[in-house]
Amino acid sequence: MTESEKKGSSACCGPARVRDDHALGHQTFPTSDDSVEHDIVDIPGGTGFLGTDRPELAIDGEAPFRQSKVKPFRIDTTTVTVARFAAFVAATGYKTEAERLGDSFVFRGFLSGNALNAPSVPGAPWWLMIKGATWRAIYGPGSEADTNPDHPVVHVSWNDAIAFASWAGGRLPTEAEWEHAARGGLGDIRFPWGDKEPDDTNYFPCNIWQGRFPDKDMGRDGYIGTAPAQSFEPNPYGLFNMVGNVWEWTSQPFTVRSLKKSVKRAHRGKAGFKITKGGSFLCHLSYCYRYRIAARTGTSPDSAMSHQGFRLVYDVKA
C-alpha cells in the first residue's frame, strides 16, 4: 500500500456488517425530558460552508468548497455520553443492534488472550468481531469497568442513534449543520480550532492517534481510546471534540457525485450507507486523515464499533 493510499484508507474508519437487509429496524419512543444533565447551545443560521477547495481525500467527495443556507438550530455541546444513553435504556428497555445481534467490532489494541482469535476483517485485521461487545462492555464481556459514564457512548448503530433521538426530542444533524457547527463561525478552516496541524510531539488539540498505526498509540494527547466527551478546548461555539475521539453519525445518505471509474469502484456496495463525520481516536495524518471538518466517510447504518458515537441537534421553534 502506497503512502497516499494509506492516507486515504477507510479501513480504520470502520468495517461494515455483511447483512442482506442492512438493519434490524429502529424503534421509536415517546419524547422524554432527557433528564441527565447535558449542555445545548444555539447555533446561528445564515450562510454556512460545506466542503473544501483543499481536498485531501477527493475520492470521498470533500470538494468543492461551497455555501449552504442553514436555519438556526441547537446542538449538544458533546456527543451523547454513556450516562445519558443509560438513562434512555433504563426508561425504555431499548436494546441496541449490537446487543440483539450479539457482537460488535472492537479495535484489537484493546484486546488480549483468546479475544485476539476472534474473526477479523479482511484488509483491516485490527478490527475483530467480538461477541458480547456492547455500549455496556466496550471491549467485550468483562470490560464493563472500562465503560466510563462521562465518555461518549459507542457501539451504537445509526438506528440506535435514531431511536435515542426520538426519545430525547432531537435528531441527527445534516452534514451542512454538522460542518456549520464545527467551523464555529470561523469560515474556511481545516479544523475546529483553525488550520494548525496536530502532531505526534507537542501539539494535541484533539484525541487522535500518535505513533505508527495500527501498532502502538503512544497516547501523548493524554488518551488511548476514547476521552471524556467534554475534554480538550471547545470551538468558538462551545462544542467539544467535533473532530477526533469518536465518529459522529449524520442523518444523510453517503453519496459522492463523480463519473470517475476509480471513485465508483472505491464506493461500490455502499448503497444505504450514512455519512459520518469528525474522525476518531484511530485517525492519523499518515493513515486516515479524516479528522478534518470537510472529511467524510460512509458507514453501514447497522454497523457498531468501539469508536462510533453521535450528538443531537434540535429544531428552533418559531
Side-chain angles (χ1 to χ4, degrees), residues 138-171:
I138 58 177
Y139 308 137
S143 66
E144 289 81 1
D146 297 306
T147 306
N148 298 303
D150 62 341
H151 283 228
V153 66
V154 294
H155 294 295
V156 284
S157 70
W158 188 84
N159 291 309
D160 298 332
I162 291 292
F164 179 93
S166 73
W167 173 80
R171 58 180 174 82

Side-chain angles (χ1 to χ4, degrees), residues 215-273:
D215 302 325
K216 182 175 177 57
D217 182 359
M218 295 182 291
R220 288 178 175 168
D221 56 22
Y223 301 97
I224 295 175
T226 59
Q230 184 169 315
S231 54
F232 298 90
E233 288 296 316
N235 79 350
Y237 285 157
L239 308 181
F240 295 86
N241 292 310
M242 289 297 287
V243 300
N245 216 21
V246 294
W247 281 96
E248 300 185 20
W249 290 110
T250 73
S251 62
Q252 290 181 245
F254 177 76
T255 58
V256 176
R257 296 176 182 176
S258 176
L259 297 177
K260 292 183 178 180
K261 291 182 179 179
S262 60
V263 175
K264 290 184 176 180
R265 185 168 56 250
H267 300 301
R268 186 181 296 130
K270 294 184 179 179
F273 280 29

Side-chain angles (χ1 to χ4, degrees), residues 8-75:
S9 174
S10 62
C12 63
C13 301
R17 288 187 182 276
V18 181
R19 290 175 54 82
D20 293 332
D21 59 1
H22 271 313
L24 293 174
H26 65 264
Q27 307 166 48
T28 58
F29 301 93
T31 300
S32 83
D33 61 3
D34 191 13
S35 58
V36 173
E37 184 176 349
H38 60 283
D39 292 327
I40 302 172
V41 296
D42 294 304
I43 304 297
T47 300
F49 301 105
L50 189 63
T52 180
D53 283 334
R54 301 175 289 168
E56 295 289 342
L57 302 172
I59 200 168
D60 287 345
E62 294 179 1
F65 181 68
R66 56 207 184 273
Q67 293 185 350
S68 176
K69 289 293 183 183
V70 180
K71 293 181 180 180
F73 61 95
R74 310 187 76 206
I75 189 171

